[in-house]
Amino acid sequence: MKKIKVALYEDNVGLRDVLADVVRSSSEFELAGEFGHCLDAIKNTTVFSPDVIIMDIDLPGKSGIDA
């Protein structure tokens, strides 16, 4: 079975670590990347090819909605 690749965008390091651990512990998901801002979201998406992106709305530099 192919794993679903997930990218995380969260500026709160503690929350990002917890979310990353949840994704890593699942047999159905693979962590494609974890990021503290979304300024490079297009580049990261191209490089890591996630199937799903979990993105905080209130990120530094650029909002998750704008990204």
Side-chain angles (χ1 to χ4, degrees):
M1 173 173 81
K2 181 184 175 216
K3 291 186 176 186
I4 298 169
K5 292 175 21 176
V6 179
L8 300 173
Y9 288 85
E10 173 58 60
D11 59 324
N12 180 310
V13 176
L15 179 55
R16 188 172 68 232
D17 288 346
V18 168
L19 292 171
D21 286 344
V22 169
V23 172
R24 283 189 196 103
S25 69
S26 171
S27 62
E28 297 176 18
F29 300 107
E30 172 185 340
L31 188 62
E34 52 182 294
F35 311 96
H37 60 78
C38 60
L39 296 173
D40 301 322
I42 293 172
K43 176 184 164 193
N44 294 338
T45 301
T46 302
V47 171
F48 299 104
S49 300
D51 299 307
V52 175
I53 296 173
I54 299 173
M55 186 175 297
D56 184 8
I57 292 174
D58 186 24
L59 290 167
K62 185 181 210 177
S63 80
I65 292 172
D66 290 338

